Amino acid sequence: MVNASMDELAAESASLPLVDHHVHSCLVEAPSLAQFELSISESEVALGPGQSRMDSQAGFALAALCGTQLTGVPVPPQDYLRLRAGWAEPELQRVLLRGAGVSDWLIDTGHGADRLVGLTEFGRRSGGRVHEVARLEAMAEVLLASGVSPHDFPDALRQDVQSRAAAVVGFKSIAAYRSGFAIDWALPSDAEVSAAVAALDSAGRARLIDPVVIRFAVHTALRTLLPLQLHVGIGDRDVDMLATNPLHLRRLLAEAEALCAPVVLLHCSPYEREAGYLCQNHARVYMDVGLSTNLMGASGVSALERAMELCPFPRLLYSSDAWGLAELHFLGAALWRRQFTALVTRWVHEGLWSIPDAVRVARMVASGNATRLYRLTAEGS
Ligand SMILES: [Zn+2]
């Protein structure tokens, strides 16, 4: 009888619709071998002669699960790229995106958009609803490139954020990559922001790293009361991992709490415990373990378990953080379903979780929490 119920739990986790609350679109063109290999890691360099990035947790999980989705059986990692080459890219994307079982995709449009299909086309290929998340640093850089004067910049950014707020479901900041989190998070005055903009040379306007301008953008977005996503922890070589410990965000989170503005900590590896603690201690802080789900493959269950130590279950979200390869959109979903099921099955067997509670939490993390947080509607946005 218990086994029958465990089967129901596994079937539920395998089929329930997901909201992928942090993701990017898929590629316009089929990737080269080198692009494919780099896309399954956070690196920008090849491993070297005779070495393949398919020989990793991400590569093994991808070949097993995407191979099964495409052919009905797992594919050896060394054969996967040959298999993939036999598919037209749009058709491969359709099979993998639809196979992910995602009802809503919350797409960050701020990175590499010229190489990715547009949101309407992504919706068509995936069969899901599409919602946009606007990236603050990209918005500020567009404004700075337009030649806005230092004096006019604060008002211009406020107006820009306000008008985008009507069309997006949230904002995202990559402060982690640019200023790091170990900065003064107080709201700067307009005079301070103007002085910081005046001090930027053309490189500083093109790639914003100034902490005063970045925290001004973050505070401006918080005041829309839309969820503010913050990249936390693991990323490519641009990121100073030491400076992305979310414990540096205490001041910002306290100010967001005073405004009643929600903050979402993305990825969080290797700081899942710190992020879970912040979710537990603040009124409106959320987290996910996206990205490590894909990168860690069979080991990713440990990241989810670390998050679930302290994070209240209504604050945990699902994301794939896929960019480009449709394999990653599929893999994030397929791995999350397996990882979640493996964890809660253990806790049910230990007698501390009931099956109905396990199903209830699965639904919360899969879609319920994100639907509530981002106020998603059936019509999409
Ligand atoms: Zn991302």
Side-chain angles (χ1 to χ4, degrees), residues 22-24 108 111 135 172 174 229 231 266-267 291 320-323:
H22 172 62
V23 64
H24 308 265
D108 169 3
H111 176 54
R135 195 184 280 210
K172 178 186 175 191
I174 52 163
Q229 300 178 341
H231 176 110
L266 302 177
H267 319 323
L291 187 55
S320 66
D321 191 30
W323 186 98

Side-chain angles (χ1 to χ4, degrees), residues 180-197:
F181 290 158
I183 61 172
D184 170 9
W185 278 106
L187 171 65
S189 67
D190 282 12
E192 285 176 281
V193 178
S194 294
V197 171

